Amino acid sequence: KVTDESGAGIPDVTVSVKGTTSKTTTAGDGSFSINATGANVSLVFEHVNFGTKTVAATGNTVTVSLSRAEKQLDEVVVVGYGTQKRGSVTGAVSTLKNENLEERAITRVDQALVGQLAGVTVKQNTGVPGKAFSIQVRGSGSISGGNEPLYVLDGFPLSVNSSNTTNGSFSTGNPLDNINPNDIESIEVLKDAAAAAIYGSRASNGVVLITTKRGKIGKMSLNFNTYAGYNQAAKKLEMMNGDQWIEHATEIINAQYLAKYGSAGATINDNQAQRLARNGGAFDANYILDPRWTMPGHPGLAFIDWQDAIERKGKMQNYEISASGGTDAVRYFVSGNYANQESFVIGVGYKAYSMRANIELNASKRLKFGLNVAPTYSITQDPGIDGKDAIFHQALSLAPVQEDTMGLYPNYGKNGQYVWSSTTNSPLGKLTTNVGTTKRYRTVASLYGELQVVKGLSFRSSVNLDNTDNISNGYTSYLTAGTLAARTFTGANNLLAATSGSYNSYRRQTFVNENTLTYSNTFATDHSLNVLVGYSYNFDRLDRVTMSSNGGFTSAVIQTLNAAAAVTGNTTSSQSVLLSAFSRLQYGFQDKYLLSASIRRDGSSRFGANSQYGVFPSLSAAWVISKEAFMKNARVFSYLKLRASYGVNGNNNLGNDYASISTIGSAGYITGTTPGAVIGQAPNVIANPDLKWEKSKTYDIGLDFGLLNNRITGSIEYYNKLNSDLLLNVPVLAVTGFASSLNNIGSVRNIGQELTLTSKNTTGKFEWSTSVNITHNKNRIVALGPGQTQIIIPNGFTVSDQILKVGEQLNSIYVLKVIGFLSAKDLASGVAKYGSGQAEGDFKFEDYNGDGVITEADKQIVGHPNPDYTYGITNTFRYKGFDLNVLVQGQTGGSIYSQLGRAITRPGQGRSDNHPASFVNRWKSPTDQGEGRFGKAYSTYNSPITAATDWLYSSDYIRVRNITLGYNLKDGLKMRFVQGARLYLTLENFFGHDKYINGLNPEAANTAVSSNSAYPESGDYGGMPLAKSFIIGLNITF
Amino acid sequence: CAKELQQVPLSTATTVTFYQQPSDFIQAINAVYNSLRNYPSRLMFLSEIRSDNIYPTNTVGRDPDPINNFAPGIASNTYVEEAWTADFNGIFKANVVIEQVAKNAAFVGSAALANRLTAEAKFLRAFFYFDLVRYYGKVPVIDHVVSDAEARTIKRGTVAEVYALIIADLQFAVANLPANYSGTFPSYSATDVGRATKYAAEAVLAQVYMARSGPNYGIEGPGLGLNEWNQAATLLTDIIGSGAYTFNPNFANIFSYTNQNPTTNKESVFSIMFLTGLNPVLGTDFPWQLVPNSYFSSLPTGNTPANGALGVPSVSTNLVNAYATNDARKSPTIHTTAFTFTGTTDANPFFRKYLDTTKIPASRFDWGINFIAVRYTDVLLLKAECVLNGAAGNQATDVDAVANQVRSRAGLLPIAGVTKAQLLDERRREFAAEGSRWFDLQRSGNLVTIMNAWIATEDAALKKMNQATANSVIYPVPQSQMDAAPGLYTQNPGYQ
């Protein structure tokens, strides 16, 4: 009899006698009978869900217990340049299976990784559908170089993001663009140095191996999957409503009026005529109130909630059809997918068309060919929603009170602005009039052949091409630009001068040829050996074209640049070559003692002439303790494996293909009787022929375990990763002609722990299982340049708010600390102040250096952007035909320094821009200090704007990322040609809580804060919230 | 395959690939002139503000304040940093030209062009070094392109060593630069107006000899106490005798936006050239660096591109009073009438020599006015100074006549028996807002006395100033340089 962990019989298990052809299957209760004679008979049990188990038959009755975990150990795991059984893995590898991916309303593969794997932190920087996420494997170790992992798609290493994500977006593409998540079979993340080291100079940030679906031998299976639903904003930031805004504006205007004319006898009770008279008869919204504010019903004014005005329920739909199957000669998987996501913001959306064919042919017994090809096309509509002064920021900032004759379209077309509001052009007008379209055509194709030279020795060669053509065109109409005066035709002004357009494109190509020789054999039953040697050639090229109007348009109806008054254009190209040789040896003794060693030598054109080649070795070992004789009786541990590894990896993401070379830049001058510009050219980069990869050395110790007959399985992981030779712009002596030089110097250490746990809480009719993953990561800057203890990240807006400091976390938040509000007593006692204009009710800052004044020198570290803990919990329930899957995910310990605060909660902000609704709880008087976050409304000290803790928020959040309820219709349908049918209902990101009280998305990154791309810092300047979606879908297999 | 690792940039030239034909070398020398672009603003901050011409009546904690008030901790001050880095960047670019012309002589086209380019590069290298030696005293002597590693081995040279390079460079420039713009390629033609001429080199070399002749204050500054007035006078006499320049009888016209081209403005011996309206910007910001932002805002047309600076220190009362009421130079040099913006009246005087409010550009960094770095009036007055210090010449024709020519243009009565002190005062009124004052004080030998006497009266009420000492004659080595290679440079005395 064959039973599962709970003792229930398992039907349909194939039972065979080892070494013979006799075979049978178990009955409904798990019982079987088979004929076998002789000594040392072994029975092999096989089941699709329970894997394979071989048991020595003793006597006439054999009772075998199979567990799903057995299958896990037998599972094939994709590792670099090959596969391995899960049980033989010696490095830290996490796997994500496509369990219910196609039932989720997601359009990208990175989205599928959110909350799923320990050590893999996925940040959703934007709510714009189709846009790339940011992924970090085991923290970030690079300051100026890239922190994104290497992606390998079906063995094809894709181009690493070449540019730093200074503003949180990937301007020249992301490796996961356009890849259809529904085609994914599994994703493996190689986290430690040993697992990743086979990818050498690109492996430092981890390696993500993506495997797409392929056909299996058998009848064709045709699958049709569709869903439809809607999405909405997952969060709304309550801003002050019309009445609150009027109250605040009145307070500000009265204060300004008093400040100017108070000494001349003005009082806040002066009426409009008196105020006009004092202002010399000139109308000025700074001193004069709108009389309609105090009239009942505010005649002539419209109260507008701008978030409501630009949002909607966005419709979503997806259709996918796929066919797979195979014979001994051919195996195939083909699919087509159409996804259409309207965003919840009007005018924003994403459409994707994708196709894939994975075909494998057996040309002969020893020769195999395969072709994977995936043409895709996507269209993103985004008229400019995210970032500083972009539409969503403006929708938050714009006054909620407007003239009702203009309604939702203030300062648009023939409408002027409401005098007391700002000059912002209608956000809704921009969304409906302006164009920002990105069309991306990408094809990833691989052709490979595999020859079995002799038994155990095979040669594989592949050629791979990834080609992306990306075209972005933008159009901004004069209707949405400038002031009414500029939009009013007076005979002299050309309205269309304010119209602008752009057309930018890039082509990114990656060509890879890889050749590997693999020898795999088992000697004397106990010794298994796998040896790999390989050579690869990798070519990357990026060609960019930018064109934009320069001087307006000549037509109001034509949006292409042929109607531009003048066009400026530019093309640039860049390419790099990587040549690699690599080898790996894996040895196992009785599947008990496992050893793996690898080495790769990379030569890269990106490195300096003196250091073009790097060698990246690794070593790892594992001991399956549970196979030892002394563990036989340890009932609690059904499986126990200890792993340890060490390896050296590199990061070749220097941000520039030619960073080591002294290039020539422009520096013009004026000469001539008739003066004119003359071209000047001089070296603008100091050459560094020693420039090379960033290096990481990682120790990793892991324990895989199975408890209580594998009812609970999981692993614990510890790692210590030292990134050294960091690319840093080090100050050099000015006598060289330069201020800084890009050098390999400085180091950062990441230390972390990971826990993965899967528990089968109940089995039987009602199945409930829980998977948990928790990651803790902490990084520390160990060293910067010589003698350098800190680098204050230069800020593009006002004053800096982040620092790189030895001993502290990367990009620590470095600002003035608000410790309350200034009281009259403080002022009398001469407490430290910022500048001369601070008054009662303004922030009281901590005088950190105790010098009696508040200056930039009083800044202190108050937090760091990276979370300390990230976690994901998946609960799966099955009962009869129903199944329910719930994924909860979150993070704690990080902070967000909100640049949005500068827009909507800065001290002394003035009357026109709106504040969050919680601003009503500001300091109002010494006895009413509100909630403590905001000082008094009329504040005059703030120039320049301070960077202080009033814009600091915790980035902790918890989200119910996904709830999927499925029902198996098959039993009800009773149609022979239908093999399976499921109806499902999914809530994506529907519930959640975060501590970013005056912002929308604690992971948002949409604005470059740093003014120096060598020290990227991106921030949230009012990015749109994430979407929550509701879909209903149907999945039918024929 | 390994050859493929030798990739070169596809969209930018490199130092290896660029220098291939004559125009490449001309572009390379143009880039050296580009390093002059911040020279006028630097004079405002490091010469005018440092001197008794400017007093911080109403400023609070702005960047120029510590330069103005002789604070000891100015090694990290932006302007102190800027002068060192920008001048050495210019020197680097000049060295690139000199080396590339020598290395790739075959590509330059002609020996004559090679000679001209080398002479231009050497003139500019000397110009930058002269700027450095007057601000910092001892600086590293860099006569070739140095790597990061080599730079870390080069200490500050002595002042004498720095001058040796400057003088050799300028002598080469005098011998090899064209005298005017009326030649044909490879000499200067009409399109080359603005490039350094032989006479520009002579004028700068004369200034060098004069600076060396100034006293040393007991520090390692620009003055060496040498007696080279005669060498200077000879060079200045050559410029005057050439007849290439003329004394403009209308003072205000010298700085007019319509008379700024060196071909029409015969006062210009060497100008830093700017032009508005180009992309990338090739205009300048020096005309408003000492003008309050609110003045522009108060103008009837408003001030869209936010010209002017915040917290501008004002022209000192002492300087305002140094002009006689009828001095025709006062009004074009100093704005003394109060202006009102948003109810606040500002009566502090400010420099407006190069300001024309009808020429406000679209960007505040893009004013289109040339800066006259060497003015013919200066050549005349410098010669007079040499004669007063013992160079060949006589009091009546070479000193009094020149001083009275300048005074007469200003509408003042002539004086006889002009003394060194009177000449220094005349220079102050003539060259105020042109950045000459600090160097004149250095050379006079009375810098410390004059400054402290001025502080005693000007600062009597507000008490914002520290005392000037001999150490104040030069600036500290920028902190960034002290930090970049700890122990390599020693800091100038008197600075932290």
Side-chain angles (χ1 to χ4, degrees), chain A residues 245-312:
Chain A
W245 182 85
I246 287 173
E247 188 220 320
H248 175 259
T250 305
E251 183 183 340
I252 295 285
I253 292 170
N254 282 339
Q256 288 176 168
Y257 178 61
L258 274 193
K260 185 157 190 197
Y261 297 113
S263 56
T267 76
I268 59 167
N269 297 320
D270 289 353
N271 62 24
Q272 188 167 4
Q274 288 166 314
R275 291 179 186 227
L276 268 173
R278 288 200 190 275
N279 205 41
F283 174 82
D284 190 332
N286 285 319
Y287 310 120
I288 292 163
L289 304 167
D290 186 340
R292 295 173 291 180
W293 289 349
T294 47
M295 293 180 194
H298 315 294
L301 295 178
F303 283 14
I304 297 165
D305 182 317
W306 284 107
Q307 283 172 87
D308 290 352
I310 63 167
E311 290 180 8
R312 63 180 169 189

Side-chain angles (χ1 to χ4, degrees), chain A residues 330-408:
Chain A
V330 187
R331 289 172 301 287
Y332 59 89
F333 169 83
V334 290
S335 78
N337 193 87
Y338 167 68
N340 185 354
Q341 289 204 349
E342 264 181 17
S343 169
F344 57 86
V345 171
I346 291 166
V348 178
Y350 177 75
K351 276 184 204 168
Y353 306 82
S354 41
M355 289 176 271
R356 169 171 291 278
N358 291 346
I359 292 164
E360 201 164 67
L361 305 166
N362 287 349
S364 76
K365 254 184 149 178
R366 303 171 106 191
L367 186 62
K368 186 163 88 172
F369 287 105
L371 176 70
N372 305 333
V373 56
T376 58
Y377 180 61
S378 69
I379 307 166
T380 308
Q381 300 286 359
D382 175 9
I385 191 77
D386 264 359
K388 182 176 188 291
D389 299 327
I391 299 169
F392 207 88
H393 160 201
Q394 293 182 331
L396 294 172
S397 279
L398 189 54
V401 177
Q402 300 287 340
E403 296 284 353
D404 68 1
T405 51
M406 303 171 195
L408 298 173

Side-chain angles (χ1 to χ4, degrees), chain A residues 545-566:
Chain A
V545 179
T546 60
M547 281 188 275
S548 57
S549 66
N550 181 21
F553 271 56
T554 56
S555 161
V557 290
I558 302 172
Q559 299 191 347
T560 49
L561 288 176
N562 60 325

Side-chain angles (χ1 to χ4, degrees), chain A residues 9-30:
Chain A
I10 310 173
D12 299 325
V13 177
T14 308
V15 184
S16 57
V17 180
K18 197 171 181 181
T20 71
T21 52
S22 81
K23 229 178 220 183
T24 183
T25 49
T26 55
D29 63 351

Side-chain angles (χ1 to χ4, degrees), chain A residues 200-214:
Chain A
S201 66
R202 294 171 291 176
S204 194
N205 297 321
V207 180
V208 178
L209 306 175
I210 300 166
T211 308
T212 58
K213 291 174 180 167
R214 26 219 65 227

Side-chain angles (χ1 to χ4, degrees), chain B residues 232-434:
Chain B
T234 311
L235 291 160
L236 295 166
T237 307
D238 191 53
I239 300 169
I240 298 163
S242 74
Y245 308 98
T246 48
F247 184 84
N248 187 337
N250 180 337
F251 181 77
N253 181 253
I254 297 168
F255 313 101
S256 162
Y257 279 60
T258 52
N259 182 41
Q260 57 163 321
N261 198 279
T263 40
T264 52
N265 190 342
K266 294 291 185 188
E267 277 267 340
S268 163
V269 179
F270 183 56
S271 281
I272 317 291
M273 306 280 282
F274 296 102
L275 187 62
T276 189
L278 296 171
N279 180 22
V281 166
L282 286 173
T284 182
D285 55 6
F286 82 88
W288 55 257
Q289 288 292 5
L290 295 178
V291 181
N293 182 46
S294 50
Y295 168 69
F296 287 96
S297 306
S298 77
L299 296 174
T301 47
N303 176 35
T304 328
N307 283 279
L310 297 167
V312 168
S314 56
V315 170
S316 75
T317 314
N318 179 269
L319 176 62
V320 174
N321 294 339
Y323 290 93
T325 350
N326 60 336
D327 193 323
R329 294 170 298 193
K330 185 175 178 181
S331 171
T333 305
I334 306 172
H335 182 102
T336 50
T337 46
F339 62 88
T340 303
F341 177 63
T342 60
T344 308
T345 300
D346 190 341
N348 293 303
F350 58 85
F351 283 142
R352 63 152 168 221
K353 205 168 208 171
Y354 277 102
L355 202 62
D356 182 342
T357 53
T358 66
K359 304 282 184 188
I360 298 177
S363 152
R364 65 194 176 121
F365 301 107
D366 199 20
W367 288 71
I369 179 79
N370 294 338
F371 177 81
I372 307 174
V374 179
R375 184 137 80 80
Y376 186 55
T377 305
D378 197 14
V379 170
L380 295 172
L381 288 172
L382 290 176
K383 163 109 188 271
E385 190 177 326
C386 291
V387 171
L388 276 179
N389 281 292
N394 86 42
Q395 174 83 27
T397 57
D398 291 318
V399 182
D400 292 359
V402 168
N404 287 326
Q405 191 181 12
V406 171
R407 286 178 63 81
S408 144
R409 175 167 67 186
L412 302 174
L413 294 172
I415 49 174
V418 175
T419 64
K420 282 195 229 174
Q422 282 173 322
L423 191 67
L424 183 64
D425 284 349
E426 204 57 63
R427 288 184 62 85
R428 186 186 186 196
R429 290 185 288 268
E430 177 71 19
F431 299 116
E434 292 179 58

